[in-house]
Amino acid sequence: MKKLALALVLLASPARAADALSALYADGQYDAAMRAGEAAHTAPSLALAARAALADAVMRDAPCMACLKRAEADARAAMAADPKLADGPVWLAVALGYQTRLTGILAARWRGAPGQAKAALMQAVRNDPKSPFAVSALGGWNIEVVRAAGAYLARALYGATEAKGLALFDRAVKLQPGNVAVRYQIGLSLAGFDVDRYHDRILGELDAAMAAPAQTAYEKFIQARAAALSALLKAGNRIGFDTRVRKFQGYP
């Protein structure tokens, strides 16, 4: 099946190859999507391979650094193939963010991951200012840096602020209100930042993620996660909620 999928992508016209790759990703055939995307070696196919590697990592029961490294490599290859494509920088930043949660902030700073992620996301937003993924990811980067470093150091070292993060979240929602992944990630980001201050916003984002029509296997998966988080928060089960948030954010 994997060899057949790869052959269909490589032998098809560019348009049909892109459709075949998208279908593999939508169906949750991530290994096939990664192999076919890497073999096609175009910027869009490599970006989709990176996205598939990230979906594979998120949906595993335990953290998978190898998955994240593969996503990083594919995203960097997509950027090298076409620096103007927004998807490559977005998935690079997401991969670096998940890696930071496994290695710790000190190792990430030593590697320069926060600065690399910011540069990638700024590039993505410049390339496609109407991409809800790029805009929301940049918002999430601001929130995560403030959470990890504190407001003063986040602003001084990286120019990250809570206000910027919130404004970017609002902008992403306006760009595509029915995007399941974007609404879920905004809710998850704020849940890991300050659940008391953003209690109502978190519930609103999770409920929006559940209400929107799922287009892919990944979106169906995160809708189930959104439902679990929403139920815990509404029930006032903070220990269970905080534990799930940390797990869903990719912490070991």
Side-chain angles (χ1 to χ4, degrees), residues 181-195:
V182 166
R183 302 304 293 266
Y184 168 77
Q185 286 298 334
I186 292 174
L188 187 63
S189 178
L190 293 175
F193 181 66
D194 192 331
V195 67

Side-chain angles (χ1 to χ4, degrees), residues 8-9 11-23:
L8 288 173
V9 172
L11 295 175
S13 66
R16 290 187 176 181
D19 289 342
L21 268 175
S22 295

Side-chain angles (χ1 to χ4, degrees), residues 191-213:
F193 181 66
D194 192 331
V195 67
D196 293 319
R197 188 188 311 174
Y198 295 111
H199 179 277
D200 292 346
R201 174 76 185 265
I202 292 164
L203 283 177
E205 297 297 339
L206 295 175
D207 288 345
M210 289 185 284

Side-chain angles (χ1 to χ4, degrees), residues 188 191-192 195 225 228-229 232-233 237-252:
L188 187 63
V195 67
R225 286 193 164 184
L229 290 175
L232 287 168
L233 189 55
N237 186 346
R238 282 294 300 276
I239 294 176
F241 179 79
D242 292 344
T243 299
R244 290 286 186 93
V245 166
R246 186 172 179 83
K247 176 179 174 59
F248 293 170
Q249 285 189 321
Y251 287 99

Side-chain angles (χ1 to χ4, degrees), residues 10-241:
L10 293 178
L11 295 175
S13 66
R16 290 187 176 181
D19 289 342
L21 268 175
S22 295
L24 289 173
Y25 174 82
D27 289 343
Q29 299 184 54
Y30 302 126
D31 184 64
M34 286 183 275
R35 291 177 182 274
E38 290 163 356
H41 207 71
T42 65
S45 73
L46 288 163
L48 193 142
R51 187 179 183 183
L54 288 168
D56 181 37
V58 169
M59 294 173 72
R60 290 173 181 253
D61 289 333
C64 177
M65 180 60 85
C67 304
L68 300 175
K69 289 290 187 181
R70 186 171 185 177
E72 177 189 353
D74 287 339
R76 290 189 187 279
M79 292 171 66
D82 184 0
K84 294 184 178 181
L85 181 70
D87 289 353
V90 170
W91 307 133
L92 171 61
V94 173
L96 292 175
Y98 276 114
Q99 288 177 31
T100 296
R101 289 167 183 164
L102 296 182
T103 63
I105 189 63
L106 292 179
R109 283 194 63 193
W110 179 262
R111 186 187 176 195
Q116 290 182 51
K118 178 183 181 180
L121 290 171
M122 294 292 287
Q123 176 182 338
V125 172
R126 285 194 301 269
N127 290 346
D128 188 357
K130 293 185 178 181
S131 166
F133 292 109
V135 173
S136 65
L138 184 56
W141 175 88
N142 275 270
I143 293 297
E144 182 64 16
V145 172
V146 173
R147 185 203 63 78
Y152 176 79
L153 286 178
R155 180 192 292 271
L157 295 175
Y158 300 108
T161 71
E162 182 179 348
K164 288 180 183 177
L166 293 172
L168 286 160
F169 284 162
D170 292 343
R171 179 177 160 193
V173 168
K174 289 180 180 179
L175 284 169
Q176 200 168 93
N179 189 307
V180 174
V182 166
R183 302 304 293 266
Y184 168 77
Q185 286 298 334
I186 292 174
L188 187 63
S189 178
L190 293 175
F193 181 66
D194 192 331
V195 67
D196 293 319
R197 188 188 311 174
Y198 295 111
H199 179 277
D200 292 346
R201 174 76 185 265
I202 292 164
L203 283 177
E205 297 297 339
L206 295 175
D207 288 345
M210 289 185 284
Q215 304 295 327
T216 66
Y218 177 75
E219 290 184 351
K220 292 178 182 177
F221 176 84
I222 59 174
Q223 281 184 327
R225 286 193 164 184
L229 290 175
S230 180
L232 287 168
L233 189 55
K234 289 176 179 177
N237 186 346
R238 282 294 300 276
I239 294 176
F241 179 79

